């Protein structure tokens, strides 16, 4: 920084540009081509019968996106799924982090154990969910049955299926929130906490007035990361209920997959896909804005 | 003793922590344990904790006509190559992006990250058409390219975060001593980047290894990966749970170990450097 006080000349950036160019060229190729083709597809009737055929259909697909009651209900289910998973993950993850942070011994081994679900492939999380909830020999199904809490087919009933897929996502991703929050807790001012303790502050007071405010930025980072991934992934539901029973877990990515690869209505799927892209770009924008703010404040 | 660590009654803390550990670990332990159970015990109507362990599910996975080997090799090859390309190109680009000062750098960084955040279901549709057009369905190249679409931006962004932490003074000092930028990068910067490179590689590998959606759509008889093998057993009627749990254990264990190996840098990795 100190060495370059004037405007950086194009020549001096040559090496940096050369280092970036292969990756950027490849990335452009594998993202921009699909990006522009999905936009073009959304204005066409795309047929796979006897080779690829595009037939311009104007705003037809877009009219459907905004009038189709199935799409509307899928967005609504997505919203419930999204709020429930991200909300639960934030709350449980924060509690998890506070608990691990409060340990004087063994926190390393305990956090390691708590992190394991994060590394499990979503398809295996789904399969494990089906195994644990299997009505005839699943461990959790048996426990629920024995305790008299629930005795139906958990993944096969409206309502309980949704709760189950939400909890599977929460099971897998809460550790990520805990890990991020734990990193944030290192920055809580220790002397302020001690001073508050001297003045007789209760834990809840310290939590509300000292701990939470000093990790608010990091909580926001965790929230955005989870928000992005919650709309990105769909493999758990894909493998457990595939949107059923009676479309009760048909979040928007599953609906999109159905439209594209069950009904091969690819133009319409493209239009739905763009609405999802718009949503994720909004979250991405928030994420980078937050990053910038963090950089300037630190 | 640290005062901030003394809060809620100890018994309450232990109870809560135990609960969280049970919630987290029971399914994993139950999967691994059950993968060693004979079939009649897996499908018994009451859960069994004690049983005579058997390796039959594992041996049948690797010996029967429909062996797991091709799936395993496909997974290793596709995830490995996509990781290698992502890490090499991502490392170079990460260095460039970290050091370059041009107008619109933030827009460039945003574009890179936004490609990583794109919803998988939305990406699959145009890629499917493209791959069909280019005859890349059911090819290793197709899946490698598909995985690069999320691993490359991830690697670039994460390596940038690692390079940002390395003061440019080091390279500048080497350059004052007469090294070219390339030499400074090769002999001064790169050796210090080992943790960053390893973290990036492991995480890219895990993402690719764990993928199901892309593989489900783009693979065919000759390119199916190991999560597809698991899903195929699942969709058949009369699920062979023993085999399925054995596959699950095989998919999960190496990735959990690899992930824990880079635990120190995991926060940086999974927040893409957003948390210092």
């Amino acid at each position: 920084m100190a060495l370059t006080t004037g405007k950086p000349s194009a020549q001096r950036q040559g090496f940096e540009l050369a280092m970036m160019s292969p990756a950027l060229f490849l990335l452009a190729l594998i993202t921009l081509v699909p990006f522009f083709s999905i936009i073009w597809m959304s204005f066409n009737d795309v047929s796979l019968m006897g080779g690829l055929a595009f037939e311009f259909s104007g705003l037809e697909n877009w009219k459907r996106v905004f009038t189709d009651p199935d799409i509307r209900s899928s967005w609504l289910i997505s919203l419930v799924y999204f709020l429930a998973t991200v909300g639960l993950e934030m709350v449980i993850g924060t509690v998890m982090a506070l608990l691990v942070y409060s340990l004087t011994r063994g926190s390393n081994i305990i956090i390691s154990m708590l992190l394991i679900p994060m590394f499990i492939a979503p398809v295996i999380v789904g399969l494990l969910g089906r195994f644990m909830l299997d009505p005839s020999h699943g461990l959790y199904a048996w426990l629920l049955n024995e305790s008299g809490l629930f005795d139906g087919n958990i993944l096969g009933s409206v309502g309980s299926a949704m709760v189950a897929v939400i909890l599977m996502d929460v099971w897998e991703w809460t550790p990520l929130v805990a890990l991020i929050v734990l990193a944030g807790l290192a920055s809580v001012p220790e002397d302020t906490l001690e001073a508050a303790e001297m003045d007789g502050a209760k834990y809840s007071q310290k939590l509300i007035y000292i701990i939470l405010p000093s990790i608010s930025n990091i909580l926001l980072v965790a929230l955005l990361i989870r928000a992005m991934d919650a709309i990105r992934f769909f493999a758990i539901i894909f493998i457990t209920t595939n949107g059923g029973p009676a479309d009760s877990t048909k979040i928007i990515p599953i609906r999109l997959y159905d439209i594209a690869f069950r009904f091969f209505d690819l133009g319409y799927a493209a239009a739905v896909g763009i609405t999802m892209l718009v949503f994720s770009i909004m979250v991405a924008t928030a994420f980078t804005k937050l990053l910038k703010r963090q950089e300037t404040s630190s | 003793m640290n005062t901030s660590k003394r809060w809620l009654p100890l018994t309450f803390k232990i109870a809560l922590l135990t609960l969280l550990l049970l919630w987290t670990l029971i399914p994993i332990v139950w999967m691994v344990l059950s993968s060693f159970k004979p079939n009649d015990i897996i499908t018994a109507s009451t859960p069994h904790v004690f049983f005579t362990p058997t390796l039959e599910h594992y041996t049948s996975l690797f010996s029967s006509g429909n062996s797991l080997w091709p799936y395993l090799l496909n997974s290793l090859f596709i995830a490995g190559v996509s990781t290698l390309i992502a890490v090499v190109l991502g490392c170079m680009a990460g260095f460039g992006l970290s050091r370059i000062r041009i107008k619109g750098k933030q827009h460039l960084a945003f574009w890179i990250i936004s490609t990583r955040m794109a919803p998988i279901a939305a990406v699959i549709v145009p890629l499917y058409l493209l791959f069909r057009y280019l005859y890349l369905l059911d090819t290793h190249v197709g899946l490698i390219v598909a995985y690069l679409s999320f691993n490359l931006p991830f690697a670039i962004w994460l390596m940038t975060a690692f390079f940002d932490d390395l003061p440019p003074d080091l390279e500048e000092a080497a350059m004052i001593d007469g090294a070219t930028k390339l030499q400074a990068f090769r002999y001064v910067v790169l050796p210090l980047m080992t943790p960053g490179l390893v973290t990036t590689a492991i995480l890219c590998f895990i993402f690719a290894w764990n993928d199901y959606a892309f593989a489900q759509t783009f693979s065919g008889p000759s390119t199916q990966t190991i999560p597809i093998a698991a899903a195929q057993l699942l969709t058949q009627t009369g699920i062979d749970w023993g085999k399925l749990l054995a596959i699950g254990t095989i998919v999960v264990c190496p990735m959990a170990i690899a992930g824990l190996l880079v635990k120190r840098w995991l926060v940086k990795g999974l927040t893409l450097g957003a948390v210092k």
Side-chain angles (χ1 to χ4, degrees):
Chain A
M1 222 34 190
L3 285 178
T4 49
T5 40
K7 272 191 176 173
S9 67
Q11 204 190 352
R12 288 171 97 175
Q13 308 280 307
F15 179 71
E16 285 79 2
L17 278 173
M19 291 285 273
M20 287 163 68
S21 52
L24 294 187
F25 179 74
L26 184 60
L27 192 61
L29 203 67
I30 57 183
T31 61
L32 291 183
V33 174
F35 179 70
F36 289 115
S37 56
I38 197 178
I39 292 176
W40 177 239
M41 282 167 77
S42 76
F43 294 104
N44 281 272
D45 246 343
V46 182
S47 159
L48 292 173
M49 294 296 166
L52 208 52
F54 281 69
E55 192 189 323
F56 189 74
S57 63
L59 288 172
E60 197 55 45
N61 291 323
W62 283 100
K63 233 190 307 186
R64 282 173 70 193
V65 168
F66 292 105
T67 50
D68 187 343
D70 286 347
I71 293 286
R72 206 172 307 145
S73 83
S74 272
W75 272 108
L76 209 63
I77 292 164
S78 292
L79 188 71
V80 172
Y81 179 75
F82 189 82
L83 291 178
T85 53
V86 177
L88 282 171
E89 282 158 20
M90 288 303 296
V91 173
I92 304 173
T94 307
V95 171
M96 216 184 241
L98 286 169
L99 273 167
V100 173
Y101 180 67
S102 77
L103 293 174
T104 42
R105 265 184 307 176
S107 61
N108 209 6
I109 178 105
I110 288 184
I111 192 73
S112 295
M113 287 196 282
L114 289 173
L115 289 184
I116 296 174
M118 256 167 51
F119 307 116
I120 299 183
V123 63
I124 305 297
V125 174
L127 125 85
L128 200 48
R130 282 181 63 166
F131 179 61
M132 300 301 280
L133 300 174
D134 190 287
S136 66
H137 50 262
L139 178 66
Y140 283 168
W142 178 81
L143 280 172
L144 285 171
N145 202 357
E146 288 293 301
S147 61
L149 287 171
F150 191 92
D151 66 347
N153 183 351
I154 296 156
L155 286 170
S157 316
V158 174
S160 62
M162 185 67 164
V163 173
V165 293
I166 287 169
L167 289 180
M168 284 182 221
D169 195 277
V170 171
W171 180 78
E172 176 158 33
W173 293 111
T174 298
L176 175 60
V177 177
L179 190 68
I180 296 172
V181 175
L182 201 55
L185 285 172
S187 68
V188 175
E190 204 61 47
D191 41 349
T192 317
L193 277 181
E194 265 167 49
E197 182 122 336
M198 296 286 208
D199 294 342
K202 289 204 269 305
Y203 183 75
S204 57
Q205 291 171 319
K206 287 189 287 179
L207 189 66
I208 293 168
Y209 296 109
I210 303 170
I211 298 176
L212 289 182
S214 57
I215 59 166
S216 60
N217 251 351
I218 261 166
L219 285 175
L220 212 52
V221 170
L223 181 73
L224 286 171
I225 299 249
R226 278 312 303 142
M228 262 152 19
D229 284 351
I231 186 95
R232 236 177 95 70
F233 297 138
F234 63 105
I236 293 179
I237 295 188
F238 204 35
I239 209 74
T240 47
T241 63
N242 197 15
D247 282 4
S248 66
T249 59
K250 194 150 278 178
I251 56 170
I252 201 80
I254 302 272
R255 174 78 64 188
L256 169 54
Y257 201 91
D258 268 7
I259 294 170
F261 299 106
R262 229 173 84 200
F263 307 116
F264 287 98
D265 198 344
L266 290 156
Y268 185 34
V272 177
I274 292 171
T275 61
M276 283 183 68
L277 274 173
V278 169
F279 180 86
S280 62
I281 286 173
M282 287 183 338
V283 182
T285 312
F287 181 73
T288 44
K289 278 219 177 97
L290 184 76
L291 274 186
K292 243 185 274 174
R293 216 183 64 193
Q294 270 213 325
E295 263 163 30
T296 50
S297 71
S298 66
Chain B
M1 194 188 129
N2 201 331
T3 47
S4 68
K5 304 207 162 183
R6 241 186 306 118
W7 51 293
L8 302 178
L10 191 64
T11 44
F12 181 76
K13 234 163 68 175
I14 291 174
L16 207 55
L17 209 55
T18 310
L19 205 68
L20 284 172
L21 278 170
L22 286 176
W23 154 258
T24 304
L25 293 177
I26 283 179
I28 303 166
V29 172
W30 199 245
M31 172 176 78
V32 177
L33 197 69
S34 300
S35 73
F36 295 104
K37 288 177 186 173
N39 268 327
D40 56 327
I41 291 194
I42 296 179
T43 52
S45 58
T46 52
H48 284 60
V49 182
F50 301 102
F51 58 92
T52 326
T54 165
L55 281 174
E56 61 175 295
H57 307 303
Y58 290 91
T59 50
S60 82
L61 276 180
F62 289 100
S63 61
S64 66
N66 192 15
S67 160
L68 199 64
W69 280 118
Y71 297 93
L72 203 56
L73 292 177
N74 280 336
S75 269
L76 285 171
F77 179 73
I78 294 165
V81 173
S82 115
T83 300
L84 190 70
I85 298 174
V87 171
V88 171
L89 295 187
C91 174
M92 289 166 60
F95 181 76
L97 190 64
S98 172
R99 297 298 189 253
I100 204 166
R101 278 184 298 280
I102 45 164
K103 262 191 197 162
K105 174 175 163 171
Q106 259 146 1
H107 297 291
L108 186 64
F110 177 75
W111 170 66
I112 295 169
I113 196 72
S114 67
T115 60
R116 150 79 193 181
M117 292 166 183
I120 287 169
V123 175
I124 281 179
V125 174
L127 272 187
Y128 178 80
L129 277 202
L130 215 59
F131 282 5
R132 209 180 136 107
Y133 183 71
L134 298 171
Y135 296 98
L136 286 177
L137 292 175
D138 192 17
T139 64
H140 292 90
V141 176
L143 274 180
I144 290 168
V145 169
Y147 292 166
L148 277 175
S149 76
F150 57 74
N151 272 344
L152 188 57
F154 176 79
I156 298 174
W157 189 276
L158 183 53
M159 287 312 298
T160 307
F162 274 107
F163 284 120
D164 279 347
D165 286 352
L166 199 72
D169 310 13
L170 286 169
E171 309 126 60
E172 281 162 10
M175 273 147 64
I176 288 167
D177 290 344
T180 63
K181 276 190 172 180
L182 183 64
Q183 284 167 333
F185 173 75
R186 171 68 189 79
Y187 297 106
V188 179
V189 177
L190 213 51
L192 293 168
M193 269 300 128
T194 316
L197 287 168
V198 172
T199 307
T200 309
I202 288 183
L203 291 176
C204 283
F205 192 87
I206 294 177
F207 292 141
W209 175 270
N210 283 357
D211 163 76
Y212 172 68
F214 278 130
Q216 160 72 25
T217 318
F218 303 143
S219 75
S222 59
T223 49
Q224 279 163 341
T225 57
I226 188 163
I228 299 297
Q232 278 172 347
L233 279 174
L234 199 56
T235 45
Q236 288 159 9
T237 45
I239 301 170
D240 187 345
W241 282 114
K243 261 187 170 176
L244 204 46
L245 296 167
I247 294 186
T249 308
I250 292 170
V251 176
V252 166
C253 286
M255 294 308 119
I257 292 166
L260 291 177
L261 281 179
V262 295
K263 199 179 99 220
R264 258 179 76 193
W265 295 282
L266 212 52
V267 171
K268 187 190 280 288
L270 296 171
T271 62
L272 301 156
V275 177
K276 298 238 155 61

